[in-house]
Amino acid sequence: MAERGTDILVIGGGPAGVAAAMSAQNTYTEKKITLIRRESAAVIPCGIPYTITSLEKPEDDVIPDKLLEGKGIQIIVDEVLDINERSAVLKGGNVIDYDRLVLATGSVSVLPRIEGIELDNVYSIKKSLDFLKKFKIKAAKSENVVIVGGGFIGFEFADEILKLNKNVTIVEKLPHCLSSAFDDEFCEMAESEMRRIGAKVITGRTVEKIEGKSKVESILLDNEERIPTDLVLVSVGYKPNVELAKKANLRMGTSGAIWVDEYLRTSDHRIFAVGDCAEKKGFLTRKPVMVMLASTAMAEGRLAGSNLFRIKVIREFHGVLWTFSTKFGNLSLAETGLTERAAKESGLDYVVGIAKTADRHPGKIKDATQVFCKLIFSRYSHLLLGAEIAGGKSVGEMINVVSVMIQKGLTDMEIDTLQIGTHPLLTPSPIAYPLINASADAILKWYKS
Amino acid sequence: MAERGTDILVIGGGPAGVAAAMSAQNTYTEKKITLIRRESAAVIPCGIPYTITSLEKPEDDVIPDKLLEGKGIQIIVDEVLDINERSAVLKGGNVIDYDRLVLATGSVSVLPRIEGIELDNVYSIKKSLDFLKKFKIKAAKSENVVIVGGGFIGFEFADEILKLNKNVTIVEKLPHCLSSAFDDEFCEMAESEMRRIGAKVITGRTVEKIEGKSKVESILLDNEERIPTDLVLVSVGYKPNVELAKKANLRMGTSGAIWVDEYLRTSDHRIFAVGDCAEKKGFLTRKPVMVMLASTAMAEGRLAGSNLFRIKVIREFHGVLWTFSTKFGNLSLAETGLTERAAKESGLDYVVGIAKTADRHPGKIKDATQVFCKLIFSRYSHLLLGAEIAGGKSVGEMINVVSVMIQKGLTDMEIDTLQIGTHPLLTPSPIAYPLINASADAILKWYKS
């Protein structure tokens, strides 16, 4: 019994869902669009760590509803129980008929099986405003904080909690933190910066047990080391939220996310899936990969929204090119495409180009920071395959220069003849522009070999 | 009578010459390379304004000689009088035989015919360390400074001299400052920021007369306004330095610079010209244009250096894509390709896309600055033709993202499906990334029209 109907229904209020709804509204101005989400407010996922210190209050980390409502998109706060038969059944009792459905149900934290993980003051991140308010107060009240998992999110939270003058310990089970995204030399820079700003960084160790009566009191590592703590944040990964899709018998991908074709269509051609819940194919290798980035989710949402009824926007798709950046202490790090480790593991014959310079010129300009840039090229195809950059805040946009280069298939020789812009107060010197000089370095290596 | 011989001779020690010498050394490791320059030190041209305040001393704005000498490139400080017959005749008496010659003789200030321009304390910029030392002292001793010419260099000097707490007046004869590079709305932002930091900005007025006995005392405008001053900086443009080339009967271009082919070869196939002294063809229009940017000079120097004996590096050349950026007060501005004014004047059918957002996300992150982005697309070819961006320091790299897009011929629809990276502390939000949203805005305009 349909109480209400809509042309386009989007489930999920995160970046993918918002992008899909807005793009659909731009493209299909006559259609009725409805977005359903569980939370009363749509938290900006990448801003979550910054609700601790950098933002005055968690409410500042919210996607404003007027972005959608101002364009006539209806927002319903409710939980969807079922999506079969072109109808969404809501927990609140309503049923909404739809013509096209976009699943943007996102991802949820993975909880490792550690004894004591159910104790009080042991948390994993939830993308909920209520959770963030509570966690901010907990962080302020604690003295000794342990973060389990040395990935981006762990590092960003550590940076923020250190600003509250707390003792922070990061425990990473792999030999290096951030090693899913960076080669060892960059991981070492990151760990050393994290130590410089005051965190204890423990690598190559697992947490055997979380200890305490009702509240957590300490954690026990596999080397018998016991670390007293009154707050634990477990951040070891996310998994796609695919409950609804499974219930609706949509095809699942081998990665555990919802299978989609090149245009984000699921096995039901009226249902699309975008963002963390949708399977991604990796750039160049085209194998299923886990990429959970708001920027990737946005690109998918935008594309799906345009193409809901007809394919209006063609994409020349080489797979998902993950591009990310982060900052803690004074170090900004960015990565896109393949690392050297990934190139090696993929069996690629590659050449590495390296460049080091200041991000201002001359280097004595006051806010100059050293930039270290590593590019990976295919030795014989000469294509740019990946980049890692460490430096100041400008690496956040510099990695996007690389991202465009990779997506457009630039070779080392093309980068060698590229025209770029420079300014003393804003960029590295034209003589030392790191993307060009790292390409030149790579060229020299195969040219002279 | 050749006292010394060299395989490759580079005349000029600026960015173009240095780039050519370094690139030649990388490519032709067995060749002897010699660089001759007039000045004892090679000043970094774009850093010149910053020798006033931002750098401790003018000596900090120098390209270190070890960059060349460390690679075995010989530096000679002398003046070249003649380059005929495969020999360079030096003022110091020596003659150097060469096999290949690279002219990187740069540009010199244009001096307008104004009565009184020869008075003491009236200067135009010279790319010389001695000049910069003298001018820094003069600026410190003066109280009322007039800058004739409201271009980049005038604005950058004004910003620096204002930091010395001087009274600064900028006089621009066109209706807007910076109008050779920006559309009116950006020029107005620039003028208003310049006024906010304390300069008097006068537009649409010419200087009739520079007055004083031996030293300058005032300037007289064409509206009879008299401005008392004890220091005048005239910065109304540069012209290519082509004396040597003319003496050697090399073909000259219609712009007054040295004619070169697509590989920077002059009419004498053993002589190359790069940088400000070499003629440029504009991007897309292919007409001769005056572009005097270190980044452009570098790209040319690098290409010529690789191709001196054989064409080793092919460039797919669509003309010189000027990309520049600047900063004064708290405003950073950047531009590449065509402005809307240039598109109109070139008779192009174009669509404009606009986006406004913060350069961090959420916008309440402390160092967030508003970004205003304008993109110009061909209406029917859909190609990106130009961009103007105003905002914080990240526009310096963001414009390079655009620069790569234009050089690789991206369309609005391709930008719509582009994958980029974002981070709260480093970039705009993925939902509002200005290059993508401005493209989407342009698409909407032709899609709905």
Side-chain angles (χ1 to χ4, degrees):
Chain A
M1 183 190 64
E3 280 220 357
R4 290 179 287 193
T6 190
D7 295 315
I8 299 166
L9 181 64
V10 177
I11 303 178
V18 169
M22 289 175 66
S23 154
Q25 197 280 329
N26 274 341
T27 316
Y28 306 103
T29 44
E30 308 298 304
K31 300 284 186 186
K32 185 177 174 194
I33 305 172
T34 307
L35 182 143
I36 305 185
R37 65 172 189 239
R38 253 196 288 206
E39 303 292 339
S40 59
V43 163
I44 303 174
C46 28
I48 287 176
Y50 306 106
T51 59
I52 300 287
T53 320
S54 293
L55 293 168
E56 204 188 309
K57 49 188 194 303
E59 287 85 345
D60 291 340
D61 190 45
V62 158
I63 305 174
D65 283 347
K66 67 165 194 279
L67 210 63
L68 299 170
E69 290 174 340
K71 297 198 157 212
I73 298 163
Q74 193 191 7
I75 299 175
I76 295 175
V77 176
D78 205 332
E79 191 176 338
V80 180
L81 301 176
D82 198 276
I83 52 170
N84 283 318
E85 311 294 337
R86 311 273 165 252
S87 294
V89 179
L90 308 192
K91 200 173 184 179
N94 284 337
V95 173
I96 301 180
D97 292 342
Y98 61 80
D99 189 4
R100 291 292 185 273
L101 175 67
V102 179
L103 292 171
T105 48
S107 54
V108 290
S109 292
V110 170
L111 277 190
R113 289 165 195 250
I114 304 176
E115 191 184 327
I117 200 163
E118 73 294 340
L119 286 175
D120 281 354
N121 295 344
V122 177
Y123 293 97
S124 65
I125 296 304
K126 286 179 189 58
K127 296 170 194 167
S128 131
L129 193 55
D130 288 342
F131 168 80
L132 294 176
K133 285 183 195 168
K134 189 172 70 181
F135 190 74
K136 185 183 171 97
I137 293 165
K138 284 285 178 186
K141 280 186 185 165
S142 307
E143 279 317 307
N144 298 300
V145 180
V146 167
I147 296 174
V148 180
F152 283 109
I153 297 168
F155 264 52
E156 292 173 355
F157 266 104
D159 187 32
E160 287 280 300
I161 296 172
L162 283 168
K163 288 178 191 156
L164 300 172
N165 290 314
K166 310 297 181 183
N167 299 313
V168 175
T169 304
I170 299 174
V171 182
E172 167 60 45
K173 70 174 176 182
L174 295 175
H176 276 305
C177 294
L178 299 178
S179 61
S180 68
F182 288 100
D183 288 321
D184 288 355
E185 63 272 38
F186 287 85
C187 299
E188 281 159 19
M189 273 186 254
E191 290 160 2
S192 119
E193 179 65 4
M194 192 40 82
R195 287 180 179 127
R196 188 189 68 77
I197 61 176
K200 189 173 175 189
V201 180
I202 299 172
T203 55
R205 291 279 157 228
T206 54
V207 177
E208 288 280 289
K209 203 171 161 186
I210 301 177
E211 303 168 320
K213 282 174 195 153
S214 63
K215 293 180 187 175
V216 62
E217 287 163 24
S218 59
I219 63 158
L220 181 70
L221 301 184
D222 58 352
N223 64 346
E224 307 286 290
E225 191 181 346
R226 177 166 281 120
I227 302 166
T229 178
D230 38 13
L231 180 66
V232 173
L233 175 63
V234 179
S235 174
V236 299
Y238 283 78
K239 62 181 178 193
N241 179 13
V242 294
E243 271 181 57
L244 269 181
K246 277 189 172 165
K247 235 194 248 178
N249 288 316
L250 297 179
R251 180 178 162 192
M252 302 302 292
T254 55
S255 69
I258 304 167
W259 178 91
V260 288
D261 70 9
E262 308 256 299
Y263 286 95
L264 290 318
R265 291 171 296 203
T266 68
S267 48
D268 178 335
H269 78 284
R270 294 189 181 213
I271 304 181
F272 293 68
V274 295
D276 291 0
C277 68
E279 188 163 82
K280 321 263 173 268
K281 278 176 197 135
F283 195 77
L284 298 180
T285 67
R286 310 284 168 95
K287 287 184 193 162
V289 281
M290 282 282 197
V291 177
M292 294 187 177
L293 292 170
S295 48
T296 302
M298 275 291 308
E300 292 183 349
R302 213 165 46 235
L303 185 75
S306 300
N307 292 343
L308 288 171
F309 293 90
R310 277 187 171 185
I311 294 180
K312 289 173 179 280
V313 179
I314 301 291
R315 77 167 163 173
E316 293 178 46
F317 193 53
H318 303 281
V320 168
L321 181 67
W322 49 89
T323 300
F324 31 44
S325 46
T326 186
K327 175 180 177 286
F328 37 83
N330 297 326
L331 181 68
S332 298
L333 285 170
E335 200 271 340
T336 185
L338 300 182
T339 57
E340 185 174 3
R341 192 188 301 110
K344 206 173 280 176
E345 285 168 2
S346 309
L348 285 161
D349 193 354
Y350 63 88
V351 178
V352 171
I354 299 284
K356 253 184 191 173
T357 187
D359 64 353
R360 307 285 182 252
H361 66 283
K364 286 185 179 164
I365 291 285
K366 272 160 217 151
D367 70 340
T369 307
Q370 283 297 303
V371 181
F372 176 50
C373 170
K374 177 174 178 177
L375 302 180
I376 313 285
F377 291 93
S378 153
R379 183 184 299 271
Y380 297 103
S381 302
H382 297 280
L383 287 166
L384 180 59
L385 301 177
E388 291 159 85
I389 313 178
K393 290 186 182 179
S394 63
V395 308
E397 293 299 348
M398 199 183 282
I399 201 71
N400 282 328
V401 181
V402 184
S403 180
V404 175
M405 288 176 174
I406 296 180
Q407 285 171 79
K408 291 305 292 179
L410 263 77
T411 63
D412 45 13
M413 299 307 280
E414 282 181 291
I415 298 172
D416 199 50
T417 63
L418 202 72
Q419 305 181 59
I420 47 98
T422 57
H423 188 272
L425 305 183
L426 305 173
T427 73
S429 154
I431 296 186
Y433 193 71
L435 303 180
I436 290 174
N437 283 27
S439 295
D441 182 52
I443 291 168
L444 274 192
K445 284 177 188 161
W446 57 253
Y447 183 69
K448 291 201 173 157
S449 67
Chain B
M1 185 190 61
E3 280 218 359
R4 290 179 284 193
T6 190
D7 296 314
I8 300 166
L9 181 64
V10 177
I11 303 178
V18 169
M22 289 176 67
S23 152
Q25 197 280 329
N26 274 341
T27 317
Y28 306 103
T29 44
E30 307 299 304
K31 301 284 185 186
K32 185 178 172 194
I33 305 172
T34 308
L35 183 144
I36 304 185
R37 65 172 189 238
R38 252 196 289 207
E39 304 292 339
S40 59
V43 162
I44 303 174
C46 28
I48 286 176
Y50 307 105
T51 59
I52 300 287
T53 320
S54 294
L55 292 168
E56 204 189 309
K57 48 189 195 303
E59 287 85 345
D60 290 340
D61 190 45
V62 159
I63 306 174
D65 283 349
K66 66 165 195 277
L67 211 62
L68 300 170
E69 290 174 340
K71 298 199 156 210
I73 298 164
Q74 192 191 8
I75 298 175
I76 295 175
V77 176
D78 205 332
E79 191 177 338
V80 180
L81 301 177
D82 199 275
I83 53 170
N84 283 318
E85 311 295 336
R86 311 273 167 252
S87 294
V89 180
L90 309 192
K91 201 174 184 179
N94 283 338
V95 174
I96 301 179
D97 292 341
Y98 61 80
D99 188 5
R100 291 291 186 276
L101 176 67
V102 179
L103 291 171
T105 50
S107 54
V108 290
S109 291
V110 170
L111 277 190
R113 289 165 195 250
I114 304 175
E115 192 184 327
I117 200 162
E118 73 294 341
L119 286 174
D120 281 355
N121 295 343
V122 177
Y123 293 97
S124 66
I125 297 303
K126 286 179 189 60
K127 296 169 193 166
S128 129
L129 193 55
D130 288 343
F131 168 80
L132 295 176
K133 286 182 195 170
K134 190 171 70 180
F135 190 74
K136 184 184 171 97
I137 293 165
K138 284 284 180 187
K141 280 187 186 163
S142 306
E143 279 316 309
N144 299 299
V145 180
V146 167
I147 295 172
V148 181
F152 283 109
I153 296 168
F155 264 52
E156 291 173 356
F157 266 105
D159 187 33
E160 287 280 301
I161 296 172
L162 283 167
K163 289 179 192 157
L164 300 172
N165 290 314
K166 310 297 181 184
N167 300 313
V168 175
T169 304
I170 298 173
V171 182
E172 167 59 45
K173 71 174 174 183
L174 295 175
H176 276 305
C177 294
L178 299 178
S179 60
S180 67
F182 288 101
D183 288 322
D184 288 354
E185 63 272 38
F186 288 84
C187 300
E188 280 159 20
M189 271 187 253
E191 290 160 1
S192 120
E193 179 66 3
M194 193 42 80
R195 286 179 180 128
R196 189 190 67 77
I197 61 175
K200 189 173 175 188
V201 181
I202 299 172
T203 56
R205 291 279 158 227
T206 53
V207 178
E208 288 280 287
K209 204 172 160 184
I210 302 176
E211 301 169 320
K213 282 175 194 154
S214 63
K215 293 180 184 173
V216 61
E217 288 162 22
S218 59
I219 63 157
L220 181 70
L221 301 184
D222 58 353
N223 63 346
E224 307 285 292
E225 190 181 346
R226 178 164 281 118
I227 302 166
T229 178
D230 38 14
L231 180 66
V232 173
L233 175 63
V234 179
S235 173
V236 299
Y238 283 78
K239 62 181 178 195
N241 178 13
V242 295
E243 270 180 59
L244 269 181
K246 276 189 173 165
K247 235 194 248 179
N249 288 317
L250 297 179
R251 180 177 163 193
M252 302 302 293
T254 55
S255 68
I258 304 167
W259 179 91
V260 287
D261 70 8
E262 308 255 297
Y263 287 95
L264 289 318
R265 291 170 296 203
T266 69
S267 49
D268 178 335
H269 78 285
R270 292 188 183 216
I271 304 182
F272 293 68
V274 295
D276 291 359
C277 68
E279 188 163 82
K280 321 264 172 266
K281 279 177 196 133
F283 195 78
L284 298 180
T285 68
R286 310 285 167 95
K287 286 186 194 162
V289 282
M290 282 284 197
V291 177
M292 295 186 176
L293 293 170
S295 48
T296 303
M298 276 290 309
E300 292 184 349
R302 213 164 46 233
L303 185 74
S306 299
N307 291 343
L308 288 171
F309 293 90
R310 277 186 171 186
I311 294 179
K312 289 172 179 282
V313 179
I314 300 292
R315 77 167 162 174
E316 294 179 46
F317 194 55
H318 302 282
V320 168
L321 181 67
W322 48 90
T323 300
F324 32 44
S325 46
T326 186
K327 174 180 178 284
F328 37 83
N330 296 328
L331 182 68
S332 298
L333 284 170
E335 200 269 340
T336 186
L338 299 182
T339 57
E340 184 172 5
R341 193 188 302 111
K344 207 174 279 176
E345 284 167 5
S346 308
L348 285 160
D349 193 354
Y350 64 88
V351 178
V352 172
I354 299 283
K356 253 183 192 173
T357 188
D359 64 354
R360 307 285 183 252
H361 65 284
K364 286 186 179 164
I365 291 284
K366 272 160 217 152
D367 70 340
T369 307
Q370 282 298 303
V371 181
F372 176 51
C373 170
K374 177 174 177 177
L375 301 181
I376 314 285
F377 291 93
S378 154
R379 183 184 300 269
Y380 298 103
S381 301
H382 297 281
L383 286 166
L384 179 60
L385 301 177
E388 291 159 84
I389 314 177
K393 290 186 183 179
S394 64
V395 307
E397 293 298 346
M398 200 183 280
I399 201 71
N400 283 328
V401 181
V402 183
S403 180
V404 175
M405 287 176 174
I406 297 180
Q407 285 170 80
K408 290 306 292 179
L410 264 77
T411 64
D412 44 14
M413 299 307 279
E414 282 182 291
I415 298 172
D416 199 50
T417 62
L418 202 71
Q419 305 180 60
I420 46 99
T422 56
H423 188 273
L425 305 182
L426 305 174
T427 74
S429 154
I431 296 186
Y433 193 71
L435 303 180
I436 289 175
N437 283 27
S439 295
D441 182 52
I443 291 168
L444 273 192
K445 285 178 188 160
W446 58 253
Y447 183 70
K448 292 202 174 158
S449 69

